[in-house]
Structures are given as C-alpha cells and as structure tokens.
Amino acid sequence: MTTAHERPPVVAGLLLAAGGGRRLGGRPKALLTHRGRPLVEHAVGVLREAGCEVVHVVLGASAAAVRERAGLAGCVLVENPEWAEGMGSSLRAGLGSLADDPHGVDAALVLLVDQPGIGAEAVARVRAAYESRSTLAAASYDGQRGHPVLFGAAHWAGVAVSAVGDRGARDYLAAHRDAITPVDCSDVAEPYDIDTEADLPHLE
C-alpha cells in the first residue's frame, strides 16, 4: 500500500488568465482566438500536455464569458474579483486555491495566458526540475528568466506576501535568485507577450 510519503509529487498547473486587455481595447486576453479556440483553452491544453493533471485557472475580466465560451472541463476555476489590481492579486488567489486542493499539491507551475509561444515542451522541462517542496525553478531564454516558473509549496506563503500590483512574483524571485534552478528553453519556445494590437499577428 502506497503511503502519502511514497506518492508521486503533484505539480499543478496554475494559469493566470484574469487580465482585461487594457492595451488591446479592453478585450480580455483569455478570449483572444488562437488556433481556432480561446487562448485560455489553448494554454490549459499546454499545461495538460506537459503533464499537469491538476490545473487551476484564475479568471477575472469577463469571467462569465470565459466560462461559457472556453472548454475548461476538469479545471478548477478561480475567480479573482480584484483582478484589476494586477497580476499579484491573481497569483495570490491561485496559490490560495492550490493550497486548498484535495490532491495535496506539492508545487505550482505558473503559466501566463498571453504567452502562446511557450508550448508543452518548455513547460515539461520546467516541471521536470521539481525535486522537493522547496524547489524554485524558472524557464530561461538566452539567459533571461521567464515563464513558466515552478514554486514548490514551501515558497507559496512568501510569494503571496510579496505579490502586489503587477509585479507578480518578481520581487520574491529577485530576493531568492540564488535558489532558482534555471531551465533553458530558448530552443523550444518564444516568450513573447500578447499585450498590444501590434502583437496580435503572433496569434494563429
């Protein structure tokens, strides 16, 4: 019989998809179309393909429309009423939801909905960096830290305290840079953001 100590670690996907797309004329990024489906649905598929069986999705702007239009079956949907405050509030909401997940999540693999150039291969590489609940790992692109980022559960409380405004976990990661395991993903992903109208051609 397998005990709790012998079970495989649970590395959950945490997708931040609450933004209102202010610089896109108020179009929520989660509902932008990519490969024929809402961007949030594409990102969930990336996390699942990378091996995340547990996926929590933080919604905010137009959450009801996202629920209606995107295929998110099997995901835990977390509504962040404070989404307009910035990414920090969504990160706090997501980590709080993961802490309550009955699967006993050991680490959060954080992906942003507006980076469709980051696919399952890059996400799986960062996921594979998990060693313990103290693991801190991040994708790197030509030496620059990017997403996804893996936070072992031992880091969640500290991340939540420092996650304010639009900085997300930036301050926490800067304070713990020596503990971060960098995972080079330059050869398999492009970390561009869909922020403005000029970025829309990246979508397929």
Side-chain angles (χ1 to χ4, degrees), residues 44-118:
V44 165
V46 166
L47 286 166
R48 292 205 185 285
E49 187 179 343
C52 295
E53 295 181 11
V54 177
V55 177
H56 289 224
V57 182
V58 182
L59 303 177
S62 301
V66 175
R67 286 175 178 270
E68 181 181 338
R69 291 171 51 187
L72 302 175
C75 296
V76 175
L77 303 183
V78 184
E79 288 203 29
N80 173 21
E82 300 173 347
W83 63 268
E85 293 181 7
M87 189 192 304
S89 65
S90 290
L91 184 55
R92 293 195 306 270
L95 292 176
S97 180
L98 288 177
D100 293 335
D101 191 290
H103 292 90
V105 177
D106 297 293
L109 189 55
V110 180
L111 187 67
L112 307 182
V113 75
D114 66 347
Q115 294 191 315
I118 298 175

